[in-house]
Amino acid sequence: KRVRSEFAARSERFDRAVRALLDRPGRRLERAAGTLNGNDPEGILQKGYAIVTHRGAIVRDPAAVGTGETIEARVARGTMTARVETVRSDGDQRSG
């Protein structure tokens, strides 16, 4: 009986250790997937943001686009084309 009891206790500890080792990569993968999903451009567009491009390049600075030029704004459900009327960069303003 004592040998069986000792075996059962060790077997249970071994099972818990193996489960813990196997669960750890799964949790890491879930965290990584959450990080990726949080940075997914499609997910960001679903929140109401737009990706604005000018001549095929993403616009990060309004000064890169002149008044009268055409830009495209990609949103969650499509793309819009617009003509720039005013450009503001941190306080200054240029109108066309």
Side-chain angles (χ1 to χ4, degrees):
K1 282 185 171 183
R2 183 171 180 226
V3 172
R4 285 186 190 182
S5 175
E6 180 78 18
F7 177 78
R10 288 183 183 200
S11 177
E12 179 62 30
R13 282 195 306 260
F14 177 77
D15 286 347
R16 281 196 308 264
V18 168
R19 279 195 300 271
L21 285 172
L22 293 176
D23 286 347
R24 196 172 303 150
R27 287 192 302 270
R28 285 180 49 200
L29 182 60
E30 286 174 7
R31 282 194 306 273
T35 299
L36 284 174
N37 288 337
N39 293 322
D40 174 28
E42 293 297 324
I44 293 170
L45 294 177
Q46 291 295 330
K47 293 177 183 179
Y49 291 92
I51 299 172
V52 178
T53 58
H54 174 61
R55 298 182 182 159
I58 293 176
V59 177
R60 292 182 175 85
D61 182 354
V65 183
T67 57
E69 293 189 290
T70 302
I71 58 172
E72 288 192 347
R74 181 174 170 212
V75 294
R77 295 188 187 140
T79 302
M80 299 173 280
T81 302
R83 184 174 324 281
V84 176
E85 293 183 7
T86 304
V87 176
R88 289 185 198 96
S89 291
D90 293 332
D92 80 286
Q93 180 174 335
R94 292 180 283 145
S95 295

